């Protein structure tokens, strides 16, 4: 039995139902059975959206229930969604059954509101597929061994879809979104941005982490480990979207230019903090990062040197960070309104001169590079927010991403 | 550990929350722990009401899902309700936990949408009560041995409350309603109708079946079998309402006059069907009731005689019934606009002359008795709807129910 997993967001369950069903019908016509994963219906103020259910127990931070009970409440959103969608499929003559996350076999740990999937027990899905063409599974949820309902943390329904795709060894895991696929850059910033036909798991992870919020990295990691190809597709289009697979050699016959850079992501709203110290550099460093961690401030772009430390944080937390650092007797220098640009490409590994090309492109435009960092497949630069549009467009042109 | 079970309807969960919580606080102050059973929030068009959830899968009769999935959808209504109510209790400083029906131990058969409770496994409730003052249980639902979510049929959340009261051997099962308690007659018909302090299980069952829709008879039966006293109370009043218990000797010290009749219920909208036959009476009788059953028409007030049969049905089904009977070659005589009056009283058992008193009262008022029937604790008469107000008031006066 060939199975395809297709994940649809909340707006597809009711408002764009017909479009979602078209995709399912297309998959069935190619001889697959389909396991559909759905999120909660709609968006707030839709009463069945996750945020609306949360609203029933008061404003955030002022609820008076345990995480266990919060999960019980939220899980209803996806259960309602799965039954409504299954009903719509049956109405179209597609034999469908709805299952809760627990019934679909998601066994998690007891870390309520952020539970981790421990095991997938998918026998029930196989059984339902004997008599149904489609099984609709409530995403974002599972059950502990003791029968407690949990919601899963990182990646929500994307992660549910990937875990099912892996457990069922699906032909594809299709993540339907409101965009056509993965773009070479944000089309709101770069007019010439183009959809990518194929990216590697690693590339999409770096693109996603850096602000291209299309599919959750956790879902990609699961698909990668299980070697199940993923497709990022648009509910409103019959295009196959962007294929996510393991390596350039595995691109399903597609003719892909062997480019250095696959895509550029960016994230604004960042502040850089610099602390210089003449003495006790080691002690300063450890006390700074310990204090940040205790205040639950995420740090990024860390450069440590004998003269002190430099790092970035989200703009919202800069006041808090400054207060903490001053309490430690330090004098932080802050540059607000920074942006991080990520150049991602599996093809850059082992190719010299990529960084040089980036530096050349930015200095030609008189754009200051405040910091930089790199891994095998990604180079990051920190620049000022005012330079962001110019920088991303120039880099997009340099690496010929619109071709 | 002393436990009280308190059942609240959907409007108490959100709109009349404060009043419901007052009752729970009062119960806690008398040294009880409280197990609360809740229905789904509000009434249609509230989005979390049962009818609203049903509306998500189309108009009745046009849904395309299995009963299993319908139960999955509907169960969310009470789960949401239980978490919302538990949150409200905790906000008031009352330590509360919410449980689904499954978690609270309702094990049912697989008769989806009308499941029967097979077993109660209440260990989890006792465990939660060690660290909480209140456990809020989602009513109207359970789980099969295989982990399928079911909704229970007859009596819904009333039955859930009674089953919990029985399994926990509760001090009381409190059914909160929007009326003060059980009345001697419908106060919209009899101005002098009075609330009853005490009724027996049998009496309330007969009163409820006959149209005094306050507590479901199935719930009363369960309470009776477990010998747990029940109270029918008003959410909006601190009165103890009507106590429902097993016998007059057991009225918790209350001084109850030993009356013949406890209350009078009535039901309008009834049609009487009479079929006279000269020959083949036996064959006619059996074919009539077989045809009614096949058409799913409930029959009541059956009088069989060698000359034919007389029975009543609900007015809505009279057209259908007539068609069926004519197809059988019979000539039904129909009297529309009838009403059934039920005089209920455990005290009438073995006391002669009660029927005589009823007949005298009605003939004094020139009210025709179209049919009558009786059991140990109830006497029924069928009259014309136009005589209903006069009849019930006259009988109420004859048996001195307002005293």
């Amino acid at each position: 039995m060939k199975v395809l997993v297709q994940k649809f967001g909340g707006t597809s369950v009711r408002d764009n139902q017909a479009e979602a069903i078209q995709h399912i019908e297309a998959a069935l016509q190619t001889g697959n059975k389909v396991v559909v994963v759905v999120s909660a219906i709609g968006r707030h103020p839709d009463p069945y959206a996750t945020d609306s259910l949360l609203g029933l127990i008061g404003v955030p931070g002022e609820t008076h229930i345990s995480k266990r009970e919060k999960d019980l409440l939220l899980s209803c959103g996806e259960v309602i969604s799965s039954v409504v969608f299954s009903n719509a499929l049956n109405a179209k003559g597609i034999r469908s059954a709805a299952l809760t996350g627990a019934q679909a076999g998601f066994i998690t740990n007891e870390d309520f509101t952020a539970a981790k999937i421990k095991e997938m027990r998918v026998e029930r899905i196989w059984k339902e597929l004997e008599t149904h063409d489609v099984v609709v599974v409530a995403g974002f949820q599972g059950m502990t061994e003791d029968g407690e309902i949990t919601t899963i943390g990182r990646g929500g329904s994307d992660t549910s879809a990937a875990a099912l795709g892996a457990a069922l060894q699906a032909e594809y895991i299709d993540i339907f979104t409101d965009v056509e696929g993965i773009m070479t850059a944000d089309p709101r910033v770069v007019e010439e941005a183009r959809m990518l036909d194929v990216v590697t798991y690693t590339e999409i992870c770096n693109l996603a982490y850096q602000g291209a919020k299309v599919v959750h990295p956790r879902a990609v990691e699961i698909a990668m480990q299980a070697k199940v190809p993923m497709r990022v597709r648009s509910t409103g289009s019959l295009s196959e979207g962007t294929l996510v697979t393991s390596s350039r050699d595995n691109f399903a016959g597609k003719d892909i230019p062997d480019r250095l850079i696959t895509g550029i992501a960016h994230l604004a709203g960042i502040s850089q903090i610099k602390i210089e110290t003449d003495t006790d550099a080691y002690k300063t460093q450890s006390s700074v990062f310990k204090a940040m961690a205790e205040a639950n401030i995420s740090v990024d772009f860390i450069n440590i040197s004998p003269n002190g430390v430099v790092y970035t944080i989200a703009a919202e937390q800069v006041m808090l960070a400054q207060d903490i650092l001053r309490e430690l007797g330090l004098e932080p220098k802050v540059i607000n309104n920074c942006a991080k640009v990520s150049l991602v490409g599996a093809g850059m590994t082992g190719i010299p001169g990529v960084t040089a090309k980036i530096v050349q492109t930015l200095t030609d435009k008189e754009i200051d590079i405040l910091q930089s960092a790199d891994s095998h497949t990604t180079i990051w630069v920190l620049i000022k927010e005012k330079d962001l549009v110019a920088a991303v467009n120039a880099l997009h042109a340099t690496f010929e991403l619109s071709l």
Side-chain angles (χ1 to χ4, degrees), chain A:
Chain A
M1 199 186 286
K2 286 201 306 178
V3 175
L4 218 80
V5 174
Q6 300 196 311
K7 180 252 168 177
F8 294 97
T11 54
S12 301
V13 172
R14 210 166 37 179
D15 303 335
N16 307 325
Q17 209 177 70
E19 292 172 341
I21 291 176
Q22 267 193 301
H23 287 291
I24 294 166
E25 281 172 336
L28 292 172
Q29 273 157 20
T30 58
N32 291 285
K33 298 261 180 174
V34 181
V35 175
V36 171
V37 177
V38 289
S39 305
I41 287 177
R43 297 201 178 95
H44 183 75
D46 189 298
Y48 308 108
T50 301
D51 286 345
S52 303
L53 292 174
L54 269 181
L56 291 173
I57 49 168
V59 293
E62 280 197 25
T63 61
H64 300 275
I65 50 167
S66 65
K67 287 181 171 181
R68 181 186 69 77
E69 286 158 308
K70 191 175 160 190
D71 276 0
L72 213 49
L73 176 68
L74 292 188
S75 70
C76 290
E78 278 76 15
V79 172
I80 292 170
S81 198
S82 67
V83 176
V84 168
F85 197 70
S86 184
N87 181 60
L89 288 169
N90 281 309
K92 285 265 180 187
I94 300 169
R95 295 175 308 163
S96 165
L99 296 178
T100 67
Q103 292 170 346
F106 286 81
I107 306 297
T108 75
N109 68 7
E110 299 199 342
D111 194 4
F112 293 105
T113 74
K116 284 180 191 59
I117 301 168
K118 281 170 58 184
E119 198 186 326
M120 296 295 296
R121 297 181 188 158
V122 290
E123 303 79 20
R124 172 72 182 271
I125 292 179
W126 289 122
K127 187 159 165 269
E128 295 292 343
L129 287 177
E130 286 171 16
T131 50
H132 297 91
D133 296 318
V134 177
V135 172
V136 183
V137 177
F140 181 53
Q141 60 184 254
M143 188 177 74
T144 68
E145 294 277 4
D146 293 343
E148 294 291 345
I149 306 301
T150 53
T151 66
I152 60 175
R154 297 173 56 209
S157 296
D158 285 1
T159 301
S160 299
L164 280 172
L168 299 166
Q169 277 296 301
E171 302 290 305
Y172 289 104
I173 299 159
D174 285 348
I175 305 289
F176 284 91
T177 67
D178 51 4
V179 299
E180 287 281 318
I182 305 293
M183 305 289 287
T184 52
D186 185 338
R188 289 166 303 183
V189 172
V190 180
E191 207 177 294
E192 302 196 314
R194 196 178 50 75
M195 198 191 86
L196 290 157
D197 288 331
V198 187
V199 296
T200 67
Y201 295 114
T202 314
E203 285 170 342
I204 200 180
C205 274
N206 281 317
L207 286 167
Y209 272 122
Q210 299 308 330
K213 291 167 186 166
V214 174
V215 54
H216 196 282
R218 178 67 187 135
V220 177
E221 284 164 18
I222 292 171
M224 179 169 64
Q225 280 163 19
K227 297 192 175 65
V228 176
M230 187 174 248
R231 291 185 296 198
V232 177
R233 306 176 62 178
S234 163
T235 314
S237 148
L238 286 177
S239 142
E240 291 205 355
T242 300
L243 177 69
V244 190
T245 182
S246 55
S247 83
R248 305 243 159 187
D249 305 329
N250 196 9
F251 275 3
K254 299 200 187 208
D255 187 22
I256 304 300
D258 194 17
R259 50 174 96 254
L260 291 172
I261 299 293
T262 303
I264 303 173
H266 66 263
L267 187 67
I270 291 174
S271 294
Q272 186 198 49
I273 295 182
K274 187 181 280 185
I275 298 158
E276 289 172 339
T277 174
D278 296 332
T279 54
D280 280 338
Y282 176 75
K283 200 176 148 201
T284 301
Q285 288 152 11
S286 68
S287 64
V288 164
F289 293 111
K290 198 172 154 222
M292 294 295 115
E294 280 168 2
N296 215 14
I297 297 174
S298 286
V299 299
D300 192 11
F301 240 133
I302 304 162
N303 281 173
I304 296 176
S305 74
N307 303 326
V309 292
V310 186
Y311 61 94
T312 63
I313 62 173
E316 303 89 74
Q317 298 190 295
V318 77
M319 302 290 284
L320 174 61
Q322 278 178 303
D323 288 348
I324 290 166
L325 293 167
R326 285 185 192 128
E327 272 175 36
L328 293 174
L330 300 169
E331 287 171 30
K333 286 179 190 167
V334 176
I335 303 177
N336 285 314
N337 303 316
C338 298
K340 182 179 180 179
V341 176
S342 313
L343 294 100
V344 176
M348 75 165 74
T349 309
I351 308 287
V354 181
T355 305
K357 256 184 152 173
I358 293 169
V359 173
Q360 186 67 50
T361 303
L362 296 178
T363 51
D364 281 355
K365 297 275 174 186
E366 299 185 342
I367 294 170
D368 291 340
I369 298 175
L370 304 174
Q371 264 181 271
S372 76
D374 62 272
S375 77
H376 286 306
T377 59
T378 308
I379 296 171
W380 297 274
V381 290
L382 188 71
I383 59 175
K384 291 193 177 136
E385 236 175 77
K386 68 175 175 58
D387 296 325
L388 182 61
V389 173
V392 176
N393 274 283
L395 292 165
H396 201 268
T398 295
F399 290 101
E400 299 180 328
L401 297 187
S402 59
L403 299 183

